[in-house]
């Protein structure tokens, strides 16, 4: 039972809304949503600055919200949509949560752990692998990040 591409684009649009919320809060614009049975059950966007928490990535916040919604740490019937390829921490958390599928927008050649730098989500040595689809609304996701970092550099921040 595969999801339709239009569903992928629709739910990635929800992740992009989260990324825009991060952008508005002067956080790196990454957004994530967790879907179960065609419904958003967890949302998150980067809040590292706001919470002074290095683990406050969009994916971690969305996973925590989804687990609270389900009432279980196992999210085996869920799909994670995220605007940027997850890092090692977030990819590891998805494996541990038994996320069924990951859909992401832009690749992250510097810290991506779902195919770019590492392949944590599909490592056969793990007891669970996550199916990965990349490149969904990639341009929109990348543009949001590029514009954010251009503004930050113009302000002498990053």
């Amino acid at each position: 039972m595969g999801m339709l591409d239009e569903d992928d684009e629709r739910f990635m649009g929800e992740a992009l809304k989260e990324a825009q919320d991060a952008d508005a809060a002067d956080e790196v614009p990454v957004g994530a949503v967790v879907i179960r049975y065609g419904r958003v059950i967890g949302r998150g966007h980067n809040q590292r600055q706001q919470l002074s928490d290095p683990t406050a990535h969009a994916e971690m916040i969305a996973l925590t919200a989804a687990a609270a919604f389900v009432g279980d740490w196992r999210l085996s019937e869920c799909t994670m949509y995220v605007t940027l390829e997850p890092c090692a921490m977030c990819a590891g958390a998805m494996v541990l949560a038994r996320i069924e599928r990951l859909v992401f927008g832009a690749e992250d050649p510097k810290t991506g752990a779902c195919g770019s730098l590492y392949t944590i989500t599909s490592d056969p040595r793990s007891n669970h692998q996550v199916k990965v689809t990349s490149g969904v609304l990639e341009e929109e996701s990348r543009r949001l990040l590029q514009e954010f970092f251009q503004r930050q550099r113009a302000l002498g921040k990053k």
Side-chain angles (χ1 to χ4, degrees):
M1 179 189 104
M3 299 271 286
L4 298 171
D5 287 355
E6 59 198 46
D7 281 341
D8 282 352
E9 289 196 1
R10 178 166 55 102
F11 290 129
M12 187 60 79
E14 290 296 312
L16 275 165
K17 287 179 191 170
E18 288 294 321
Q20 289 161 348
D21 289 347
D23 195 32
D26 206 28
E27 296 273 0
V28 175
V30 178
V33 293
V34 177
I35 308 301
R36 185 177 187 212
Y37 308 135
R39 182 173 167 208
V40 177
I41 63 164
R43 301 178 163 275
H45 57 269
N46 276 358
Q47 295 184 53
R48 290 188 308 173
Q49 305 292 336
Q50 185 181 342
L51 300 176
S52 297
D53 181 352
T55 69
H57 288 199
E59 301 95 320
M60 301 299 280
I61 293 165
L63 283 172
T64 299
F69 179 88
V70 172
D72 192 355
W73 60 267
R74 290 174 200 85
L75 299 172
S76 54
E77 296 171 320
C78 297
T79 299
M80 165 80 75
Y81 288 84
V82 60
T83 56
L84 181 66
E85 180 181 357
C87 70
M89 172 183 68
C90 295
M94 281 180 236
V95 170
L96 294 174
R98 311 294 193 265
I99 287 284
E100 185 176 321
R101 183 168 176 250
L102 163 68
V103 180
F104 70 84
E107 290 181 350
D108 186 347
K110 291 184 178 173
T111 63
C114 305
S116 289
L117 195 58
Y118 306 107
T119 52
I120 290 172
T121 44
S122 59
D123 192 318
R125 297 169 295 181
S126 294
N127 64 343
H128 176 75
Q129 288 81 40
V130 179
K131 296 179 195 101
V132 178
T133 302
S134 61
V136 176
L137 300 186
E138 181 178 3
E139 272 309 306
E140 295 87 334
S141 299
R142 185 183 294 114
R143 190 176 317 116
L144 202 55
L145 285 157
Q146 286 172 338
E147 289 171 359
F148 173 82
F149 285 112
Q150 283 168 358
R151 285 194 314 272
Q152 293 297 304
R153 282 191 294 274
L155 295 169
K157 289 185 180 178
K158 291 190 169 68

